[in-house]
Amino acid sequence: MSALEQKPNSVDVRKAIVQYLIDHVRNPSVSIFEVISAVRKTFPLCELTDWQIGDLIARSAIDAGFAIEFDAADP
């Protein structure tokens, strides 16, 4: 079974978020909406809500020193 066919846990999602931040380190800010979209594309079976993913993104981005664009849609 491939990684995309498995339901990821929050650790898997956090690793994907950190990788996204590493790949976009030259950008001074990170868009919550864009990262949520990237996570959903990577893990289509992810059961975390957008709000939960957004929280993980914000925490990771703050730890890494990014400015954050809180542009995700309200639930």
Side-chain angles (χ1 to χ4, degrees):
M1 187 180 312
S2 77
L4 291 178
E5 294 171 358
Q6 298 174 8
K7 293 182 182 176
N9 59 35
S10 61
V11 174
D12 296 327
V13 173
R14 186 179 272 275
K15 286 179 183 178
I17 292 167
V18 170
Q19 187 59 53
Y20 182 94
L21 295 175
I22 290 169
D23 292 345
H24 294 85
V25 72
R26 291 190 176 160
N27 297 342
S29 66
V30 63
S31 161
I32 298 289
F33 176 78
E34 287 179 16
V35 184
I36 288 173
S37 297
V39 168
R40 293 270 180 229
K41 186 180 285 188
T42 302
F43 298 115
L45 299 178
C46 182
E47 292 182 344
L48 296 175
T49 65
D50 284 355
W51 196 93
Q52 291 170 316
I53 295 170
D55 184 57
L56 290 172
I57 295 164
R59 290 173 189 269
S60 298
I62 289 168
D63 289 346
F66 283 85
I68 303 169
E69 296 175 28
F70 292 96
D71 56 353
D74 289 331

